């Protein structure tokens, strides 16, 4: 098993190396220019995300689709992942993570647009869609759609399920001494109560949970910034300067070149917001929207909240904390986060609750991605069985070591991104036409014919 784990880790080092980072970031930049920067319509997108598109076709509200997508993307990577990027790439990594989010908005917009445009009704009369349908109906390559669905259906058991459940049970054991199986049983029952109710219950729960957990976390970060206020200006200045000039070792930071800072920052941004991976458009396709561009705008705000706001906020908190308390810099990613947030009253409990809620929401969001992919590969009849297996996997993930599963899931996530990015590039002309028609020609309120 160790040999297999080492082999998969080696594969990951290639799949998630510079070629993948360049491919993802390159797509972000290309689509931003090709579509004339839909990021400029961010305020309109935020307004649409909280408005119900009455009478539109779909299974869940636009906000419900957004909340479910955010549930899957806002996770431990927003907290521990950013700390790891800073530990390995220095403070400049925060800037590159932020830049990745800014340009990634265009990719998330594009994925959702195509998902709605090429969505279909399944055997039960429900709208389903995502990159698998885009590859089949838009690109004309059903086998690529099947590959994407296969990778997604199995990746959901890893990064979206067992890994998250293990993070919850491990944290509960380390912090409060609660046995893994006890935490696993509680999380499994909670997940089952939501997941067995289908997409509408998932969207309903996520619509309530995501805003609460995001506001809770942001308030905590702002409190830490107030505590570190004397170092805030220096932290922001260091983040920007370190993004373009090598960081010397000292002052609480490791030495890092510009390339290393960019590598870790961009990688963390890509992993966190999932723009280009193809997961979020699966739920976007179920949204009640009158035309593809409206939901594309709503979906694009997910990358803004996840990376441009939450990851950046985490980064500023951690850099200012290191400047204020240089002795904490020797900690690794996870430990650095714990030490930084310990400066808050009840900081340990705050961080525990944040990670618990983020991980649980990810379990809910990814379950939908997995079951829709399984349905594409087989039929709607497989969905109840997939849900049961997913719930069982939640418990198993809570009590079993997951190094191998984590590495396999990472590989599957990379393999998901490749066909999805291909569809975005091949259909960039369609994206440009739809964007011009509805967005730049000011026809957002028109229904798609």
């Amino acid at each position: 098993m160790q040999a297999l784990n080492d082999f998969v880790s080696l594969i990951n080092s290639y799949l998630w190396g510079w070629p993948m980072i360049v491919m993802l970031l390159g797509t972000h930049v290309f689509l931003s220019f090709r579509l004339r920067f839909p990021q400029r319509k961010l305020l309109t997108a935020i307004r649409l995300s909280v408005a119900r598109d009455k009478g539109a076709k779909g299974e869940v509200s636009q906000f419900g689709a957004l909340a479910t997508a955010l549930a899957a993307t806002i996770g431990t990577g927003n907290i521990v992942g950013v700390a790891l990027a800073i530990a390995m790439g220095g403070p400049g990594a925060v800037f590159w993570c932020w830049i990745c989010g800014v340009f990634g908005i265009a990719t998330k917009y594009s994925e959702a647009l195509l998902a709605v445009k090429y969505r279909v009704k399944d055997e039960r009369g429900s709208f389903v869609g995502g990159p698998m349908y885009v590859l089949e109906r838009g690109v004309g390559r059903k086998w690529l759609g099947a590959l994407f669905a296969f990778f997604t259906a199995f990746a959901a058991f890893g990064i979206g399920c067992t890994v998250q459940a293990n993070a919850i049970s491990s944290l509960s054991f380390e912090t409060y001494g609660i046995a893994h199986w006890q935490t696993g049983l509680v999380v499994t029952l909670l997940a089952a109560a939501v997941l067995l109710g289908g997409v509408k219950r998932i969207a309903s729960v996520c619509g309530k949970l995501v805003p609460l957990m995001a506001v809770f976390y942001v308030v905590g970060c702002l409190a830490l910034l107030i505590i570190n206020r004397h170092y805030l200006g220096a932290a922001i200045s260091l983040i920007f300067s370190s993004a373009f000039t090598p960081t010397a070792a000292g002052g609480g930071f490791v030495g890092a070149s510009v390339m290393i800072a960019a590598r870790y920052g961009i990688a963390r941004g890509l992993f966190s917001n999932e723009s280009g991976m193809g997961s979020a458009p699966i739920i976007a396709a179920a949204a009640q929207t009158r035309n593809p561009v409206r939901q594309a705008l709503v979906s694009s705000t997910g990358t803004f909240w996840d990376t441009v706001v939450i990851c950046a906020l985490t980064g500023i908190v951690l850099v200012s904390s290191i400047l204020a308390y240089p002795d904490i810099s020797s900690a690794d990613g996870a430990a650095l986060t714990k030490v930084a947030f310990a400066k808050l009253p009840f900081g340990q409990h705050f961080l525990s609750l944040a990670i618990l809620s983020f991980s649980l929401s990810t379990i809910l969001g990814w379950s939908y991605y997995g079951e829709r992919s399984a349905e594409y590969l087989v039929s709607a009849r497989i969905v109840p069985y997939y849900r049961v297996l997913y719930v069982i996997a939640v418990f198993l993930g809570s009590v079993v070591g997951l190094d191998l599963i984590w590495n396999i899931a990472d590989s599957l996530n990379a393999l998901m991104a490749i066909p999805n990015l291909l569809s975005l590039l091949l259909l960039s002309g369609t994206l440009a036409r739809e964007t011009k028609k509805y967005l730049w020609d000011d026809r957002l309120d028109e229904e798609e014919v």
Side-chain angles (χ1 to χ4, degrees), residues 154-310:
F154 283 95
F157 282 106
I159 192 131
C161 178
T162 52
V163 169
Q164 303 299 326
N166 191 264
I168 295 173
S169 65
S170 297
L171 179 67
S172 298
F173 178 75
E174 293 169 8
T175 306
Y176 305 108
I178 302 173
H180 289 269
W181 73 267
Q182 291 174 323
T183 302
L185 183 60
V186 173
V187 174
T188 300
L189 292 175
L190 288 174
V194 178
L195 300 182
L196 299 182
V199 62
K200 291 185 178 180
R201 186 179 297 174
I202 293 172
S204 175
V205 172
C206 290
K208 297 177 178 66
L209 177 61
V210 168
L212 284 175
M213 73 181 193
V215 170
F216 172 76
Y217 181 70
V218 168
V219 169
C221 286
L222 292 176
L224 272 175
L225 291 180
I226 292 173
I227 293 173
N228 300 336
R229 60 189 178 279
H230 298 301
Y231 299 89
L232 186 56
I236 294 174
S237 176
L238 186 60
I239 287 171
F240 277 88
S241 63
S242 300
F244 302 100
T245 57
T247 305
F253 295 98
V254 297
S257 68
V258 173
M259 290 296 290
I260 292 176
R263 180 183 183 277
Y264 282 101
I266 292 170
R268 177 42 48 207
L270 295 172
F271 296 162
S272 177
N273 61 50
E274 298 180 14
S275 292
M277 191 180 294
S279 50
I282 297 176
I283 184 62
Q288 297 165 346
T289 184
R290 68 188 72 178
N291 62 63
V293 171
R294 286 176 71 94
Q295 182 56 36
L297 285 171
V298 172
S299 294
S300 72
T301 64
T303 298
F304 170 75
W305 296 120
D306 176 272
T307 307
V308 180
V309 175
I310 294 181

Side-chain angles (χ1 to χ4, degrees), residues 52-53 56-62 119 286-290 295:
R52 184 175 292 276
D53 204 349
K57 300 175 182 177
E59 308 306 312
V60 297
S61 68
Q62 290 179 314
R119 66 184 179 179
Q288 297 165 346
T289 184
R290 68 188 72 178
Q295 182 56 36

